[in-house]
Amino acid sequence: MEIEKNKVMLTGDRPTGALHLGHYVGSLLSRVEMQSKFDSYIMVADAQALTDNFSTPEKVRANVYEVVKDYIAVGIDPKKATIFVQSQVQELAELTFYYLNLVTISRLERNPTVKSELQQKEFGQSIPAGFLCYPVSQAADITAFKAEIIPVGEDQLPLIETCNEIVRKFNRIYRAEILLEAKASLSREARLIGIDGKQKASKSLGNAIMLCDEEDVVKEKVFSMFTDPNHIHVNDPGNVEVNVVFTYLDAFHDDRDEIDTLKQKYRKGGLGDKVIKSLLNDTLQKILFPIRERRKSITKNQIDEILIAGTEKSRAVAAVTLSQVKGVMGLSYW
Ligand code: ATP
Ligand code: MG
């Protein structure tokens, strides 16, 4: 990867819970790599988290700290990447307000990410307008920083598309080239499945191994993973593809050949789920141990300092974009 310090990278997480292994392979690892190559911003999206957690603001607030602890624990360096809190950069809310005119309700309802989240969350007839419109606020987040590189999981691709539709429409209507189109950058594991084998690992679904899970919890989760239901006896031939343990071994174990040999044996029959679960448990414990230890050594004061500095810098950048946007919209009067 080339070093392009003049290009901006922006990513973020909703503080709805601590981060999990899906984030680790889906976004955190690539952020650690990218932080030295691009002008990097990482946003803790507390305002976005409130769109579907508006009645539990204390949960969102507490998780801002959990998420930042995870960042530092996996090696995100606040000297290289600017970490900030979304709600503290008011300019983003103002930009959202103007962008809301550039997208239709039906377009938002048809966004595949929003659509599947609406189903999951079972809002029924009571969809909060803020939730339906969160892709617009995401467009504000991205464009405020003129970010072009957005490392995300697969589930977020339609959101980048909505952002770019807004950018194109804005630049066309206001005859400006102020806003830049963004490009999603998918990591090697764009969608890690949950331990239930049903949906992607997610904080909200409770089907993920968290980076802060203690050793015994990790073990318990590994041993409760969804495996091939037709593989009843050790000697039965097994299906590797539906077996979540293999999916995780593929994602986290670094010896390809060893995994391939195990897969062959599992397909033929003669390999028990306990054996592969033990191997996965050892693999994950090795990865998670240093992260957990580092996480425990980070204080709240340290996090506050990181966030205050990052937020201040971010506000200055977002304020420039906002003033350009208002300028071409004819909203600067005096
Ligand atoms: P929530 O359930 O609250 O939506 P989440 O687990 O989906 O939480 P987000 O904060 O929505 O996490 O996502 C942050 C980033 O991590 C996004 O870029 C998303 O694509 C990525 N991500 C989330 N879950 C996974 C996963 N299972 N595999 C790969 N990437 C993921
Ligand atoms: Mg999500």
Side-chain angles (χ1 to χ4, degrees):
M1 198 185 292
E2 257 177 80
I3 298 190
E4 294 184 87
K5 273 287 182 189
N6 57 335
K7 282 216 163 145
V8 177
M9 172 197 101
L10 178 114
T11 55
D13 299 278
R14 295 152 33 95
T16 50
L19 302 184
H20 50 69
L21 285 176
H23 297 114
Y24 185 70
V25 281
S27 64
L28 295 173
L29 282 181
S30 60
R31 289 180 198 177
V32 172
E33 200 186 316
M34 286 177 163
Q35 65 183 351
S36 316
K37 297 174 178 155
F38 301 107
D39 184 10
S40 304
Y41 289 83
I42 303 180
M43 178 182 79
V44 188
D46 60 340
Q48 192 192 119
L50 283 173
T51 63
D52 58 330
N53 291 274
F54 46 86
S55 55
T56 50
E58 62 291 340
K59 174 183 122 180
V60 172
R61 186 188 165 89
N63 280 312
V64 169
Y65 289 89
E66 296 306 309
V67 165
V68 179
K69 264 191 219 166
D70 286 325
Y71 288 168
I72 309 300
V74 299
I76 290 175
D77 178 354
K79 288 197 199 80
K80 294 181 178 161
T82 305
I83 306 173
F84 69 97
V85 181
Q86 186 185 28
S87 66
Q88 302 308 295
V89 181
Q90 291 97 308
E91 288 77 7
L92 300 176
E94 211 175 326
L95 276 176
T96 305
F97 190 62
Y98 299 125
Y99 293 173
L100 278 168
N101 299 324
L102 303 178
V103 63
T104 63
I105 290 173
S106 70
R107 193 81 191 94
L108 291 169
E109 282 170 341
R110 274 187 287 124
N111 182 300
T113 310
V114 174
K115 227 167 139 178
S116 82
E117 286 173 343
L118 284 177
Q119 271 162 10
Q120 253 172 37
K121 293 183 199 293
E122 295 172 348
F123 288 126
Q125 291 303 305
S126 311
I127 301 168
F131 184 80
L132 188 65
C133 296
Y134 89 74
V136 182
S137 100
Q138 229 174 59
D141 306 331
I142 295 171
T143 55
F145 296 90
K146 312 249 165 86
E148 291 179 89
I149 300 138
I150 320 289
V152 286
E154 219 175 33
D155 59 316
Q156 305 264 309
L157 290 178
L159 300 173
I160 308 292
E161 201 33 52
T162 298
C163 170
N164 287 339
E165 282 171 20
I166 292 174
V167 167
R168 287 193 289 267
K169 201 160 173 185
F170 182 93
N171 287 342
R172 195 178 67 241
I173 293 175
Y174 301 109
R175 292 198 193 88
E177 291 299 321
I178 293 171
L179 306 181
L180 299 182
E181 286 195 40
K183 217 173 129 211
S185 151
L186 280 183
S187 46
R188 77 185 153 95
E189 201 68 43
R191 181 184 287 254
L192 186 74
I193 193 125
I195 56 173
D196 54 1
K198 285 193 198 124
Q199 313 200 48
K200 72 154 199 144
S202 152
K203 301 183 213 107
S204 309
L205 299 172
N207 61 354
I209 296 178
M210 315 308 290
L211 298 179
C212 59
D213 277 345
E214 291 294 339
E215 193 177 339
D216 52 336
V217 178
V218 174
K219 188 170 178 192
E220 207 182 295
K221 288 186 179 172
V222 169
F223 278 80
S224 72
M225 272 183 173
F226 182 83
T227 55
D228 176 5
N230 298 318
H231 183 250
I232 298 160
H233 307 289
V234 174
N235 288 326
D236 292 343
N239 182 343
V240 165
E241 278 64 42
V242 298
N243 191 323
V244 176
V245 183
F246 277 112
T247 309
Y248 274 62
L249 282 170
D250 279 337
F252 296 99
H253 197 281
D254 43 24
D255 188 341
R256 295 279 92 222
D257 294 342
E258 186 184 345
I259 304 305
D260 283 344
T261 312
L262 287 172
K263 282 182 180 173
Q264 273 172 21
K265 202 165 168 196
Y266 193 81
R267 285 197 184 100
K268 230 166 63 199
L271 179 62
D273 285 311
K274 266 205 198 116
V275 177
I276 52 169
K277 283 179 171 171
S278 281
L279 175 65
L280 178 62
N281 182 48
D282 292 346
T283 310
L284 294 182
Q285 299 289 2
K286 248 186 250 152
I287 296 172
L288 292 173
F289 177 77
I291 296 176
R292 199 186 304 126
E293 290 306 296
R294 199 145 167 226
R295 208 180 182 283
K296 283 180 187 158
S297 71
I298 306 163
T299 65
K300 181 175 179 291
N301 272 350
Q302 284 171 321
I303 297 178
D304 281 326
E305 274 173 30
I306 293 167
L307 290 177
I308 290 169
T311 302
E312 195 182 336
K313 182 175 164 199
S314 303
R315 277 204 74 181
V317 177
V320 172
T321 308
L322 178 63
S323 114
Q324 291 172 334
V325 162
K326 290 176 79 171
V328 297
M329 291 177 76
L331 299 174
S332 57
Y333 295 96
W334 304 282

